[in-house]
Amino acid sequence: MNLLSPELLQGAGPRLLVPDAVFLPEGPVEGHAVLVLDGVFGDVGPADALTAAHPHLSPVHLPGHLLMPGFVDAHHHLTQSFGAALAFGEPSEIFRRVWVPLEGALDEESAYVAAKLAALEALRGGFTTVADAGTRASVDHGVLAAATREAGIRCVLGLVCGDAESGDSAEALARAEAHLARYAQDPLVHPSLAVPVPEAATAEVLRATAALAADAGAVVQIHVNEHLAGVERSLVQHGLRPLEYLHHVGALGPQLLAAHATLLTPRELSLLAETGAAVSYNPVASAWKGNAVAPATAMAERGIRFGLGTDGTRADGFRLVEAAEFAQRLTHGLTTGDSSCGAGWTWLDRAARGGADALGLGARTGTVAPGMAADFLLVDISTPELALSWDVPWELLRRGNRDQITSVHVDGLLRMWRGRPTGWDADTLVRQAVAHSRETVRRARITQAHPTSAAARERSGAQ
């Protein structure tokens, strides 16, 4: 446990950071340093060599710390943060009963507060990038962009552009093009298109949004094969499963980010591998909402691109990677005698580099390497949980948590110090969120199938 000062890490000037270890793509390496310059990693290498190469800089020694890439949340819903606790104990497909009415009750002020609250939670949990899969709130997306930008987190901001309800494909595509252009040059907000589920858009719009995103280097986020009910609807409507249908209409490709993908046949796994489409594996959402668990170990083995997402459940990057491995162990490893289930490194890699790649940001973030954005964490590895280290990736996965994160940096700037943001007041935001959430939930026509814990206890007759 080390007493460091945030002043050592603040400011926009060049800094030569010398931690005990740096988490490189090949794993943790001791005796290395990084040069942070103009928001990127200017250099990464042996500490002695970097110190000699930059004699004008005073090295900032970070004893007892690991410098690692920030986590990437590949699937989130920023404007659902007021209702995260409303999902506990609920059966699957709660979007119709909870999320649609909740987001429909948001105005611009409450949407801003909800999004900034989600960004605060994400930063506290070590996420430096978060992907919003599109809001149903009737607000300008500039509200969400402002919230994440002011919080200091990198955001892939989805715009819902389905046309099945409106019947106006031209309007949907015009909005899509405008959204892609609006944030094309933003340093922290990266545009994305979103279709809630395949049946929310016509075949024409599914094809067109795929083409628009591919041309812009962006992604289209679609919830795919998440619930049995959704699979059955697609079979009745199209005679094809959702992922098969996207392939049939020409919307399956590297620009697709398929959220959840928990119910995949061998054929659909092959389609993902053949087309280069990516998946957001959301293990906590599977547990909380009664989904199946995506076959992520099989996807890794077959070279399918995927990252890890929270789906707005809880924002702790270390608990997410633990859930990713643990879910695979329970659903696949125990039945096959696989005691490794990808090992610690697989899930840490997918939580950073894999997530960035899935979001189309693999050339921008997710890795500690020269030229990449300086989106990183300083993790205290002198704590009782991590000090007796034999295998750092496994220990981070099994014994890490957000309390061990000393600082969070995005674009080279210090954004979070020991769980509190720098430059803005989190306490005031939380008070605002409490007030707004009470009023929003009161206005929304939310239907819950599961009672509160107290009511469930009373119903069960427990003493």
Side-chain angles (χ1 to χ4, degrees), residues 313-325:
T313 50
R314 65 181 180 219
D316 186 324
F318 287 113
R319 293 188 72 184
L320 178 63
V321 293
E322 179 193 26
E325 187 270 341

Side-chain angles (χ1 to χ4, degrees), residues 53-133:
H54 304 281
H56 59 292
L57 295 177
S58 297
V60 179
H61 291 277
L62 305 165
H65 279 79
L66 169 72
L67 187 151
M68 64 179 288
F71 293 115
V72 174
D73 186 345
H75 185 67
H76 203 310
H77 295 274
L78 296 175
T79 55
Q80 293 178 4
S81 62
F82 291 169
L86 298 176
F88 301 154
E90 290 292 308
S92 63
E93 283 217 316
I94 64 172
F95 71 94
R96 298 179 187 277
R97 296 180 288 104
V98 177
W99 303 130
V100 170
L102 176 71
E103 289 181 312
L106 295 170
D107 56 20
E108 288 205 346
E109 183 178 359
S110 56
Y112 168 87
V113 172
K116 194 167 184 180
L117 177 68
L120 170 62
E121 293 181 25
L123 285 166
R124 279 169 48 82
F127 292 98
T128 52
T129 299
V130 61
D132 179 73

Side-chain angles (χ1 to χ4, degrees), residues 141-165:
H141 277 63
V143 171
L144 277 63
T148 57
R149 197 183 293 119
E150 291 167 19
I153 198 167
R154 190 177 302 280
C155 178
V156 174
L157 185 59
L159 172 77
V160 174
C161 47
D163 66 328
E165 290 188 9

